[in-house]
Each structure stands twice: as C-alpha cells, then as structure tokens.
C-alpha cells in the first residue's frame, strides 16, 4: 500500500490525467432540514408542502443549526480519517439563482467541519490513498422544474422549495485520482462508507451529486457539473479526457472553465469560462454563531460502526476467506450483512465462494440487489454443496432458478432432479459410454486427450449432469 | 405625550376598544406622516380580545417599525420592492407583545430598509418632526419616535443598526434604548446589517420604555445570537446614582458638535454628580475610525441581506416577465430607492475579490479595536455619557443630497453597534425649541445600570415633561 500524505501521486499515463472530485451528499436520514424544523419526508408529497419562513428565505427569518446534522457530519468526517477542528463556522456564498430564496447559500469556507482525511481504493497501480481535502456543511437549494424538459426549450420554470434547506455535506478530494475508473471506485467506496454510517439513503434521487475537476499533464482544469451517478462520473470523465486530448493534439489549449454534463448525450458542454466565473463574496454568516465542535468528536467517535476496511480485515481473520473474497463481500454493506448471516450457519469459506463468486455475478447480470435472494436459501444451498448432495453446476442452476422463478434450493433440486447421482449409476454410465464409443476409446489410446472430454459428455448426458465431473474423468481414464 | 399608566387607566375606565379607536383617530389625523399602514381591522379585534389577557400591556396601543414582520399586516420596510407583502408570520417581539395584551395599531415610517438618519429615504415620503415640521425626526426609526412624540401612541418599537432608535429619540425628545446585541430576538426583524442591529423600545419616559423592553426582551431559540435567561428590568427603575462612576469620552465632543448640545450634556453629567455620582474623562482613541468601519460592515452585510428581494416569491412584480436575470434586474432597479442601491453597490464592492482585505476585513479589525476601547473605558467606570447626536434635528432636505455629511451625523451612535453594548437616549435639554438627546452607554448585558442612571436623571429633571404642540 502506497501512502503519500503530502505529495501528489505521479501521473500514471502519458497524457497525465489528474482528477479531483467534489461530492454533495444529502444527509437525508435526518428528520429535519439543516436550519429549520421542516421534515424531510417530502418525496411523496406535492411541491412546496414542506416549507416555512426560514427555508423560503422570507424577510426576517433566521437560521438555527440542526445539531444532529453537525453530529452526522462529524461522523462522516471521522470515518474518512479527517480531523475535527476546535471551531467550525458558516459563511454566505452570494449569487443569484431562482432556486436560492435568500440570494445566498449558507455554506462553510474557512473552518469547515472536517479536514484532511482519506479513502483507500483499488487504484490502477494497486491500493492507493485518495486524500480528502475537506468536508463542509451547507444547505441544498430548491429544485427547478423546466416545463418541457430542458432549460433551453421550456417556456417557464417551476420552483419547488421542498428541497430548499436539506443538509448537504460537500466532500472535496485532492486531485489524487488518475483515471475515470478510479473515480468510479472512489465514489462506490464513499457510498459504501456512508451506508455503513447510516447517514444517507443513497437510493433517493440526488442523494449523491458529483462535480469533477480534470486536467491533463498539469494544464488548465475543467470542472464538470451535474453528474448524478457514479457511472455518469466515469462517462463524463472519459469524454473529458478525449476532448482535452483532441484539443491538445490539434494544437489547441485547454481553458479553465465550468462544463455541464449532458447525461442523455454523454457529452460535456461549456457553461462559463474563468473570466465569467462568479465572485461569490464569501463572508461570515453572522446569524449563526461559531460552533465549538472539538468536544463532540470523541463521543461521536465511540458510536462509529465497523467500517468497510476493518470489516474486510475481520472477514479474513475470523472466517479465513481470501482477501479478494473479503473485498468483494464488504464492498456493499447489505452483501456483507448477508454473508455474515450465512457464515454463522455453514462453512464460511464455502459461503464466501458462493456469495462472492456466483451469487453476486448472477445478481449483477439481472440488475438485482442482494435482497432478491433470501439468506435462508443460501444457507440451504451451501449445506447441499457441503454435503456433496449436488454438483457445483447444479448449485449455479439452483441460484439462477430461484432468482428467475422463485422457490427454495430443496424445491428446485427436487423439481429438477438435481440430486447427485449415486456411485452405481455413474459406474454403469461410464461402462456404457466406453462400450458404445469404441472410436473415442481408440482415439484416446492413440494420444488424443480430447477424446476423454467426449466420453465425459456422454456420461453427463446419461446421468443428466448429476455426476461429479472430476470423478467421472478419473473413472474413464482408469478404464481405457 | 401619552404614558402607559395613563393608557392603562383609560382602558380600565372605558375599554381597550375605545382607547384603540381614539388612538387610530389620532393617527389618521396625524400631520407628521408617521404611519405607513394603519391596522384598522386587526387593531379593534385585538383590542376586544385583550380584555381576556392579563398581560402588563393589556389594551395598550403600540406602533411597530415597518421592518418587523407582522402576521396579516403589510410589512414594507418603507420600500417599493416590498409593495403588497403581507407576512405569514409574527416576529418574536410581536408574539411577546400579543401575549402581554398590547394592541398593534399599525406600521410606522422609516428610512427605506433602515438605511438613513432622517426618515427621508422612505418610499412613502418623509416623516416630519413634531417639534418643527420643517425638520427631520431623525432616523431610521423616525416614524416610531415621531408618533410617540406627537402623542399618537404611548409606545413604539424601532430598530437600531447604527443609531436608528437613539437618533430619532434624540431629535424627537423621547426615550429610546438600543439593547445589548442578543438581548432581544431578531427573529422577524428584516435585516439590514445583521451583526449590528437590535430591536429597541421607544416611549415618552424611562419607565414606559423599560416596561416595553421587559416585555420584548428574553431568549428565543429561533435566533442563534439570542442569549439565554430572563430578567425583570423594572427592578432597575430606582432613583439612585450614589457611588456611580461616569466616564465622559472626550472623542464624543469633537469637531462639528453644536455648542448647546455640548453644554446640555455636560450640565447633565454635573446634575448626576449632584445626585451622588462621580465622573471622569475617558479616552476612546479609535472612535475616529468607527464611522468608516461601520459603513463598510453595514453595507457589506446589506448587499447580501437584500439579495433575497427579487420579486419571485413576494413583493414588487412588473407587468412583463423576461428571462429571470433580466426580470430580477428590472424589479430591483425599480423597487429599490437611491440610498439602498448606493449601499448595495458599495457593499458588493467591499466584499469583492481583491478588495475584501482592504475594506471588509480591515473594518472587522477596527471593530475589534472599538470593542476594546469600550472594555477599557468601562473597566474604571459604570456608564459612559455623551451626546446622542452632535446637533439637534436638522432641516428636511438639508443633508439628503450629500450622503457623506449625513453619514457623519452618526459619529456618536455607530461605535455602540460595533461594540454591541447597550445605550439609551433620553431628553436632556433644548436648543431653540428642539430637543437634545443624552446618550448613556453601559457594559454588555448591563441594561440595569443605564436604566437606573436614566431613570434617576429623569426623576430629577423636567425635560421629559415637555411635549411639542401638535394641535
């Protein structure tokens, strides 16, 4: 593992890709908004139903900090290895936009709630540390609904302030990421940590929104906004690398600018250049007093759950699984929970193989989550395999059948007659295959190894696949 | 002028409804343009209901500065941009007043968004000084002070960002308090410069001012800068200054001070000395930087505080909508007056990249020095006494075209807001028939001592008994 606490990672390719991310995380598991008491359960309600003078920015209203939002933010900061300073403070970021009812956003600037942390990810060149510059709290603006879809074509725009004032934590990395794939891995890892902390429901739309900064060979960087998924981040960055590369090849120059990711077309388009950049005129928000937070950190640290990296180490030591399996099993919290539930009842190593190598693949193929497969079914299946009742091939079939049609492993095995064939039956099938195929026997004897495979296929056909392939092979070789 | 005790007596003898209806008659007959909105419907209703309220101000009419949010009563900040805005919620102070049974009779005139020293920048025209209608009532809470001085209402609320309660109290010969920052909740006060301002009570005498202060002060969890705890300030209404040490800062008697003002204030200090206090001169060397620092900070905050007025959700709307950017610009250029625009532009400039260090951050450093001046001066003294305003009320139109000269008039009031300490202004003399204001400043959260000093002075002088001829 390479640790670079001070200097940047070197470029990994000839074009010198450098990526930094800013991730806006909605602390949507809170009960109320960041500066008022409006509840967050607005997703099923009509527009502008969860508002008050504060989140509408009515004249004379004042913000009051949600203590729980501070605690959640410290929790995330600690989980990312950040330090929590003595004081934290809020600032105003001044700009005009219809979704911003006060004409400024309350955010943090100097004295963010957490700074200087990291996340380890699987990089292009082994495990690497991506440094976190800071994490700061701010309020979400309202949501604009352009009638007719796009901002260019719509006749008018509606504003929904239900989202206005939802607590955001903006996590800013150093430019330590070296490829779009690494960016995606970073985002997946961050989401995993947030799920472990139970501060964000990442299934809600807009719960993690990404801005990406990218430059080639130390040139000017472009900032890509409006990335709403991890896959989108990878695509937007791939597009940017190609765009910047082509620009340079044609003798052009990359200019510092903000670009917008058009998800539908998979391209980025220029929003504004450096010259047109806003001057946000950050200055302290006097309506919120500086918060003393250092004292809160030790207590919150005690409440931190086991995090993915620690759990991965524990899986290796406690269950004796391989590092690859441990990594795969802990990359999503629900999968890790599922595994532990199964591992307590059956051989944990066998369970790891079947969950990490088989079940996850089948789920991915069907775009399903781990909740599509019951833990009890996995226990039953691993038992059948451990007791040698079914073959590995049948095991895969059982998983596929349950995912596609439902049922339990016992049901599927019974219905499809998958119980492993007994010794006599297999011996008879082997004898038959040899007698019926003299040519194949001859071929094998004259040195054609493939002939064994043909004979094995005949045996499998006769036993309907219930014979153990390795055993069959040995029996054939012995006899011919 | 009307006192609270008189009003309560009238309520007892007739009814709150009767008292309020007479009050509204006086307001409607006013020659001083004191009110922007008269609560003709809600006030009689509230008066009727006040019968069942056992509060200390049950049935007493009160005027509210038009930058304090009142549920169901139009609140304009004396600006065109808030035309037609009727708030859906009450400010904390309004809730407190309603609990005490006070009856809100309407919203009083002010400088637009509290930006001014004369109430001449109001979209609804200037308020006139009841002592001389050719003169300004002071500002920005000019309507609040003038309506009390004119005997229209016994009580009013103003707000004080750089002297906006004390200046009009001084010019109109009434009593006004700027409490310590954090003592009265700002929830519902429409911000001009939120790190400097406080809501403040105005009345015809120290006791009434204190009763009103007692009702509206106290902790409010909706204002993060509101301090915890409740006090009974009426305990400070004691006629005794024996052993009190007064500091007289020489910098507050500087260039441009009217001789009659200086004499009245010095005489007042001697009067208190006769009553058992002692006095000494103190130095507050950074006072000369206060005006510059104040205006930089106030304008910077204003540029941000006033950004929300874009006509999208409430307030002024123009005939035709364009793209949002153009619509914002047109609404703001038509809705705001000249002085407001000037302060937004200057404040935006002071916060801009490349200028922030030079202006805003430097002003914050000066603010710290001013605070230290107060801490040092109040270490060896209990209160500081100085003129509230360097002159009596000036003429309408005299300074409005020259903003710098107008800003200079705030020289003795802004240091108090920069430091956050409490300060009261009360009448201490007359010059050519115009009232002169005495400013008594105290330590943070020590309103009691300045109230006691003011009360003692008032009890032993006659100035508060004089009222303008309004008939």
């Amino acid at each position: 593992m390479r640790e670079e606490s001070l200097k940047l990672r070197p470029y990994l390719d000839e074009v010198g890709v450098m990526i930094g991310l800013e991730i806006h995380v909605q602390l949507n598991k809170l009960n109320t908004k960041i500066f008022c008491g409006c509840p967050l359960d607005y997703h099923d309600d009509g527009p502008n139903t969860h508002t008050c003078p504060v989140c509408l920015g009515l004249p004379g209203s004042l913000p009051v900090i949600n203590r729980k939002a501070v605690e959640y933010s410290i929790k995330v900061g600690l989980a990312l290895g950040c330090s929590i300073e003595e004081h934290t403070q809020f600032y105003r970021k001044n700009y005009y936009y219809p979704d911003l009812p006060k004409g400024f956003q309350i955010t943090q600037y100097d004295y963010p709630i957490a700074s200087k942390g990291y996340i380890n990810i699987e990089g292009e060149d082994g495990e690497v540390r991506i440094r976190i510059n800071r994490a700061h709290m701010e309020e979400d603006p309202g949501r604009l609904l352009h009638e007719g879809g796009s901002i260019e074509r719509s006749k008018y725009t509606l504003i929904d302030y239900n989202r206005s004032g939802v607590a955001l934590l903006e996590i800013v990395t150093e430019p330590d990421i070296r490829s779009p794939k690494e960016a995606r891995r970073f985002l997946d890892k961050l989401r995993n940590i947030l799920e472990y902390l139970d501060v964000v429901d990442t299934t809600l739309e807009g719960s993690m929104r990404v801005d990406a900064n990218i430059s080639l060979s130390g040139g000017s960087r472009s900032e890509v906004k409006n990335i709403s998924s991890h896959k989108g981040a990878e695509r937007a960055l791939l597009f940017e690398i190609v765009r910047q590369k082509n620009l340079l090849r044609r003798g052009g120059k990359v200019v510092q600018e903000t670009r917008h990711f058009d998800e539908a077309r998979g391209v980025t388009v220029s929003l504004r250049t450096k010259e047109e950049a806003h001057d946000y005129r950050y200055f302290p928000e006097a309506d919120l007093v500086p918060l003393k937070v250092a004292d809160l950190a030790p207590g919150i640290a005690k409440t931190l759950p086991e995090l993915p990296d620690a759990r991965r180490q524990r899986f290796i030591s406690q269950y004796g699984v391989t590092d690859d399996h441990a990594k795969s099993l802990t990359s999503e919290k629900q999968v890790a929970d599922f595994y532990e539930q199964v591992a307590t009842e059956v051989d944990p190593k066998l369970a790891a193989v079947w969950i990490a190598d088989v079940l996850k693949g089948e789920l991915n193929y069907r775009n399903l989550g781990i909740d599509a497969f019951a833990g009890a079914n996995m226990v039953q299946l691993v038992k059948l395999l451990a007791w040698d009742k079914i073959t590995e091939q049948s095991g895969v079939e059982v998983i596929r059948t349950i995912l596609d049609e439902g049922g339990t492993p016992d049901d599927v095995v019974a219905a499809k007659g998958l119980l492993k064939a007994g010794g006599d039956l297999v011996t008879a099938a082997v004898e038959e295959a040899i007698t019926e195929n003299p040519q194949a026997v001859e071929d094998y004897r004259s040195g054609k190894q493939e002939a064994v495979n043909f004979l094995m296929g005949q045996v499998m056909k006769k036993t309907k696949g219930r014979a153990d392939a390795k055993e069959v092979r040995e029996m054939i070789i012995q006899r011919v | 002028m009307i006192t609270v005790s008189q009003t309560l007596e009238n309520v007892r003898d007739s009814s709150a409804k009767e008292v309020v209806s007479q009050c509204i008659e006086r307001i409607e007959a006013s020659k001083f343009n004191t009110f922007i909105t008269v609560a003709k419907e809600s006030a009689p209703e509230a008066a009727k209901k006040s019968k069942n309220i056992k509060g200390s101000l049950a049935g007493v009419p009160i005027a509210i500065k038009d930058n304090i949010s009142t549920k169901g009563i139009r609140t304009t900040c004396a600006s065109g941009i808030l035309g037609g805005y009727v708030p859906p919620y009450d400010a904390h102070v309004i809730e407190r007043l309603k609990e005490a049974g006070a009856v809100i009779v309407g919203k009083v005139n002010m400088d637009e968004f509290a930006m001014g020293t004369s109430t001449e920048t109001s979209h609804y025209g200037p308020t006139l000084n009841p002592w001389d209608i050719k003169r300004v009532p002071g500002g920005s809470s000019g309507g609040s002070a003038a309506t009390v001085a004119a005997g229209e209402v016994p009580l009013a609320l103003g707000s004080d960002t750089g002297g906006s309660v004390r200046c009009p109290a001084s010019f109109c010969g009434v009593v006004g308090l700027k409490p310590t920052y954090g003592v009265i909740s700002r929830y519902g006060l429409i911000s001009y410069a939120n790190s400097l301002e406080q809501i403040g009570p105005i009345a015809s005498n120290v006791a009434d001012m204190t009763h009103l202060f007692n009702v509206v002060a106290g902790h409010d969890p909706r204002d993060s800068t509101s301090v915890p705890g409740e006090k009974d300030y009426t305990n400070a209404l004691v006629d005794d200054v024996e052993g009190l040490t007064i500091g007289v800062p020489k910098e507050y008697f500087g260039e441009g001070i009217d001789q009659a003002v200086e004499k009245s204030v010095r005489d007042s200090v001697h009067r208190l000395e006769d009553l058992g206090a002692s006095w000494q001169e103190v130095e507050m060397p950074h006072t000369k930087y206060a005006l510059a620092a104040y205006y930089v900070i106030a304008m910077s905050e204003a540029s941000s505080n006033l950004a929300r007025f874009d006509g999208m959700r409430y307030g002024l709307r123009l005939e035709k909508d364009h793209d949002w950017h153009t619509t914002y610009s047109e609404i703001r250029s038509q809705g705001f007056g000249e002085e407001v625009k000037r302060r937004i532009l200057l404040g935006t400039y002071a916060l801009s990249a490349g200028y922030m260090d030079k202006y805003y951050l430097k002003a914050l450093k000066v603010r710290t020095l001013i605070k230290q001046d107060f801490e040092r001066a109040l270490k060896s003294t209990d209160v500081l006494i100085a003129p509230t305003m360097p002159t009596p009320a000036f003429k309408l139109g005299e300074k409005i075209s020259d903003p710098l000269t107008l800003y200079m008039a705030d020289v003795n009031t802004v240091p108090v807001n920069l430091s956050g300490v409490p300060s009261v202004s009360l009448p201490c003399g007359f010059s050519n028939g115009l009232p002169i204001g005495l400013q008594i400043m105290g330590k943070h959260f020590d309103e009691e001592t300045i109230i006691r000093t003011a009360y003692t002075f008032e009890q032993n002088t006659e100035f508060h008994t004089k009222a303008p001829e309004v008939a």
Side-chain angles (χ1 to χ4, degrees):
Chain A
M1 140 118 248
R2 235 186 28 228
E3 286 187 20
E4 287 147 316
S5 53
L6 290 173
K7 62 179 199 295
L8 284 172
R9 283 175 74 196
Y11 301 141
L12 294 185
D13 51 23
E14 71 285 357
V15 291
V17 172
M18 254 200 200
I19 297 166
L21 300 176
E22 295 167 13
I23 306 101
H24 295 84
V25 175
Q26 246 185 6
L27 300 177
N28 56 21
K29 287 223 171 172
L30 291 166
N31 292 324
T32 54
K33 295 184 181 180
I34 185 167
F35 298 128
C36 64
C38 287
L40 292 196
D41 55 349
Y42 57 80
H43 289 88
D44 297 328
D45 293 330
N48 298 307
T49 50
H50 289 56
T51 59
C52 73
V54 176
C55 58
L56 285 176
L58 289 188
S61 64
L62 295 171
V64 175
I65 185 68
N66 179 339
R67 288 269 157 186
K68 204 88 197 161
V70 175
E71 285 174 28
Y72 277 21
S73 301
I74 293 175
K75 202 168 174 183
V76 174
L78 291 172
L80 300 182
C82 291
S83 50
I84 308 297
E85 302 301 331
E86 189 68 24
H87 285 97
T88 193
Q89 197 177 333
F90 287 91
Y91 280 70
R92 290 185 182 179
K93 179 181 183 180
N94 296 284
Y95 66 99
Y96 290 100
Y97 211 66
D99 61 6
L100 205 59
K102 299 190 292 298
F104 58 83
Q105 181 190 32
I106 303 178
T107 179
Q108 298 195 290
Y109 191 62
D110 291 338
Y111 315 105
I113 186 118
S115 50
K116 305 278 172 280
Y118 62 89
I119 290 181
N120 294 329
I121 63 160
E122 195 59 37
E124 303 283 2
D125 51 345
E127 189 165 38
V128 288
R129 172 162 291 194
I130 307 301
R131 293 168 302 158
I132 309 280
N133 173 287
R134 58 197 260 138
H136 67 252
M137 305 176 69
E138 61 187 26
E139 56 181 340
D140 214 345
R143 214 161 65 89
L144 298 181
L145 293 136
H146 304 294
E147 279 303 301
S150 80
I151 194 164
E152 292 89 5
R153 278 177 298 152
S154 62
K155 272 208 189 109
Y156 58 92
T157 297
L158 298 171
I159 316 177
D160 178 7
Y161 292 105
N162 280 350
R163 198 181 73 181
S164 173
V166 173
L168 292 179
L169 188 66
E170 180 174 337
I171 298 164
V172 183
T173 77
E174 296 289 353
D176 288 349
I177 297 166
R178 292 291 167 268
S179 74
K181 190 178 280 174
E182 283 191 5
R184 186 169 175 179
R185 284 190 191 138
F186 176 87
L187 292 170
D188 287 343
K189 182 78 175 270
L190 174 62
R191 174 168 57 200
N192 192 23
I193 292 169
L194 295 170
E195 275 168 4
Y196 270 76
L197 296 174
D198 200 29
V199 293
V200 189
D201 177 354
T202 58
T203 63
L204 287 177
E205 193 202 333
S207 56
M208 273 179 87
R209 307 196 294 271
V210 182
D211 296 343
N213 287 287
I214 175 163
S215 68
L216 301 189
S217 304
S220 288
R221 67 189 159 82
S222 60
E223 183 183 13
V224 185
K225 289 193 173 284
N226 188 43
I227 302 171
S228 57
S229 70
H230 299 185
K231 204 167 128 195
E234 191 174 355
R235 282 174 62 213
L237 287 166
L238 278 170
F239 178 88
E240 265 305 289
I241 290 173
V242 172
R243 186 189 69 85
Q244 292 191 16
K245 248 188 346 198
N246 288 342
L247 198 59
L248 293 170
R249 199 168 47 217
R250 287 197 303 266
K253 230 183 126 194
V254 177
V255 293
Q256 191 178 325
E257 63 179 344
T258 304
R259 301 180 68 85
H260 177 92
F261 180 53
D262 184 334
E263 183 114 43
R265 292 193 293 150
V267 300
T268 67
V269 285
S270 183
L271 268 186
R272 54 181 176 264
T273 59
K274 192 185 172 191
E275 286 70 34
E276 302 161 307
H278 295 299
D279 178 356
Y280 290 118
R281 310 193 312 278
Y282 285 98
F283 78 110
E285 168 55 285
D287 288 337
L288 291 163
V289 291
L291 288 174
K292 210 173 164 207
V293 285
D295 297 351
L296 294 174
I300 294 170
K302 278 187 205 135
T303 70
L304 279 187
E306 184 184 39
L307 293 168
D309 284 347
R311 199 171 195 187
R312 176 173 146 195
Q313 289 309 316
R314 181 167 61 79
F315 277 16
I316 295 170
S317 58
Q318 182 177 342
Y319 300 117
V321 302
T322 65
D323 187 39
D324 278 347
H325 281 156
K327 204 185 294 175
S328 164
L329 292 170
T330 51
S331 69
E332 281 173 69
K333 182 175 187 292
Q334 290 88 335
V335 174
D337 293 344
F338 179 90
Y339 169 72
E340 290 219 74
Q341 183 200 336
V342 175
T344 52
E345 296 195 43
V346 296
D347 174 11
K349 279 193 223 171
L350 196 55
V353 173
W354 280 86
I355 294 169
D357 295 347
V358 185
L359 179 61
K360 273 187 78 175
E362 297 295 333
L363 289 170
N364 277 345
Y365 177 72
R366 289 167 180 76
N367 212 3
L368 290 172
I370 191 77
D371 51 348
F373 202 89
N377 284 343
M378 185 46 79
V379 169
Q380 216 177 74
L381 176 66
V382 175
K383 277 181 181 164
L384 288 170
L385 289 156
W387 296 336
D388 218 14
K389 296 266 180 144
I390 58 171
T391 64
E392 291 188 358
Q393 200 189 343
S394 300
V396 174
E397 197 175 340
V398 167
I399 288 176
R400 287 177 180 166
T401 309
I402 291 174
L403 287 176
D404 295 336
E405 296 160 25
T408 67
D410 286 342
D411 296 340
V412 177
V413 167
K416 300 209 165 189
L418 296 179
L419 268 190
K420 208 163 164 182
D424 295 346
L425 212 84
V426 179
T427 312
V430 170
E431 297 292 351
E432 268 179 54
I434 288 172
T435 328
E436 285 166 14
N437 298 285
Q439 185 59 45
V441 174
E442 198 55 41
D443 286 350
Y444 177 75
R445 287 186 180 139
S446 62
K448 272 196 186 162
Q449 294 292 322
E450 307 90 77
V452 177
N453 296 341
F454 175 77
L455 290 170
M456 278 175 67
Q458 295 303 308
V459 176
M460 287 304 181
K461 210 186 260 174
K462 288 175 193 298
T463 58
K464 296 199 176 85
R466 288 173 295 161
D468 187 291
K470 221 169 111 192
E471 273 175 32
V472 172
R473 187 183 178 87
E474 273 166 16
M475 286 167 74
I476 293 171
I477 292 170
Q478 240 173 29
R479 283 173 172 73
V480 301
Chain B
M1 294 187 218
I2 317 169
T3 64
V4 169
S5 53
Q6 224 172 59
T7 310
L8 287 170
E9 222 168 276
N10 292 347
V11 168
R12 218 176 306 128
D13 294 348
S14 56
S15 71
K17 216 178 155 212
E18 185 55 34
V19 166
V20 166
S21 101
Q22 280 172 9
C23 176
I24 288 177
E25 271 171 40
R26 285 194 300 272
I27 292 165
E28 293 196 307
S30 174
K31 291 182 288 188
F32 312 110
N33 191 30
T34 43
F35 278 68
I36 293 175
T37 305
V38 183
K40 281 208 285 201
E41 280 170 25
S42 64
E45 280 293 307
K48 235 197 292 181
K49 276 189 207 150
S50 73
K51 264 198 303 199
N52 306 318
I53 300 174
K54 290 222 159 47
S56 59
L57 295 176
V60 177
I62 183 166
I64 306 296
K65 189 177 182 180
D66 209 20
N67 61 350
I68 296 172
S69 187
T70 43
K71 188 176 178 176
I73 305 175
R74 185 173 70 143
T75 299
T76 70
C77 288
S79 177
I81 209 158
L82 275 172
Y85 171 59
V86 178
Y89 79 103
D90 274 333
H92 177 76
V93 290
I94 301 299
E95 289 176 357
R96 289 246 169 164
L97 285 171
K98 286 181 175 174
E99 281 162 27
V103 176
I104 290 144
V105 288
K107 307 300 288 288
V108 277
N109 204 8
M110 55 186 278
D111 280 296
E112 185 181 0
F113 282 104
M115 298 178 184
T117 310
S118 63
T119 315
E120 288 171 286
T121 69
S122 169
H123 178 72
Y124 298 91
T127 291
L128 312 180
N129 191 321
W131 295 86
D132 177 355
I133 57 165
K134 290 199 179 70
R135 291 183 186 265
V136 301
S140 65
S141 312
S144 307
T147 192
V148 171
E152 293 165 2
V153 295
L155 297 171
L157 283 184
S159 69
D160 190 316
T161 310
S164 284
V165 161
R166 291 161 289 151
C167 160
S170 170
F171 282 7
C172 292
V174 296
V175 182
L177 170 73
K178 197 291 287 186
T180 309
Y181 189 79
V183 166
I184 297 181
S185 168
R186 288 180 298 112
Y187 189 78
L189 170 66
I190 300 174
S191 299
Y192 150 34
N194 50 316
S195 81
L196 296 164
E197 61 211 5
Q198 275 284 290
I199 290 170
I202 293 174
S204 65
N205 62 81
V206 174
D208 286 359
M209 182 281 290
T210 305
H211 282 296
L212 175 55
F213 178 48
N214 220 32
V215 168
V216 294
H219 183 242
D220 175 15
R222 292 169 300 185
D223 174 359
S224 307
T225 63
S226 161
V227 295
E230 299 272 337
K231 283 185 188 174
D232 186 352
Y233 294 98
T234 58
N235 291 334
L237 295 171
V238 178
D239 180 1
D240 178 16
V241 288
E242 190 66 48
L244 184 87
T245 309
I246 299 166
V248 179
K250 63 174 189 200
E251 291 80 2
Y252 283 65
F253 296 81
E255 206 183 323
I257 190 165
D258 183 281
Q259 283 191 351
V261 170
E262 173 156 9
K263 183 169 186 308
S264 288
V265 171
R266 295 213 185 268
D267 286 352
S268 303
V269 172
H270 294 135
R271 185 79 192 91
L272 286 164
E273 195 180 16
D274 294 344
L275 295 166
S278 63
W279 71 275
Q280 64 193 59
E281 194 171 81
V282 292
E283 285 185 14
M284 302 182 78
H286 299 98
T287 306
K288 55 178 179 273
Y289 306 116
L291 263 183
Y294 166 79
Y295 275 100
V296 168
I297 292 170
M299 290 176 183
S300 298
E301 292 181 3
S303 72
S304 175
N305 286 327
L306 271 62
R308 71 187 64 195
F309 303 107
D310 54 27
M312 283 296 126
R313 294 158 299 278
Y314 47 83
L316 182 68
R317 205 62 203 242
L318 302 176
E319 285 285 297
K320 199 169 175 320
D321 282 342
H322 305 276
D323 64 277
W324 68 265
H325 200 274
T326 313
T327 306
Y328 274 29
S329 301
E330 287 185 353
I331 286 172
R332 289 171 67 81
S333 51
Q334 290 198 28
F336 288 136
E338 288 307 307
E339 183 60 27
V340 171
K341 282 182 199 163
R342 180 180 1 261
R343 295 195 191 193
I344 291 174
L345 282 172
L346 288 171
T348 303
Y349 180 78
L351 286 177
S352 297
Y355 298 98
M356 194 169 181
D357 287 5
K358 207 167 146 191
Y359 297 110
Y360 180 73
L361 295 178
K362 188 156 237 173
L364 290 187
K365 284 180 193 153
V366 171
R367 185 175 188 170
T368 305
L369 294 173
I370 302 272
K371 256 185 217 166
Q372 289 167 354
D373 271 2
F374 274 92
E375 278 159 19
R376 217 177 301 115
L378 284 163
K379 204 168 261 174
S380 54
T381 63
D382 300 309
V383 296
L384 303 172
I385 289 185
T388 308
M389 301 301 289
T391 65
F394 45 86
K395 286 192 176 133
L396 283 160
E398 185 183 331
K399 298 190 178 182
I400 193 68
S401 53
D402 182 2
L404 270 185
T405 313
L406 191 56
Y407 296 170
M408 298 284 273
D410 301 338
V411 62
N412 283 1
T413 49
V414 297
V416 163
N417 300 81
L418 288 170
S419 71
V421 298
S423 170
V424 64
S425 177
L426 72 161
C428 71
F430 290 88
S431 168
N432 296 323
L434 295 173
I436 294 168
L438 179 73
Q439 180 171 215
I440 307 173
M441 300 163 271
K443 297 172 182 167
H444 285 109
F445 304 109
D446 188 14
E447 275 78 1
E448 287 96 328
T449 304
I450 62 171
I451 289 172
R452 177 161 60 91
T453 309
Y455 184 73
T456 305
F457 180 79
E458 192 186 72
Q459 290 300 302
N460 295 280
T461 55
E462 301 291 319
F463 306 109
H464 68 288
T465 60
K466 300 236 169 31
E469 305 262 340
V470 297

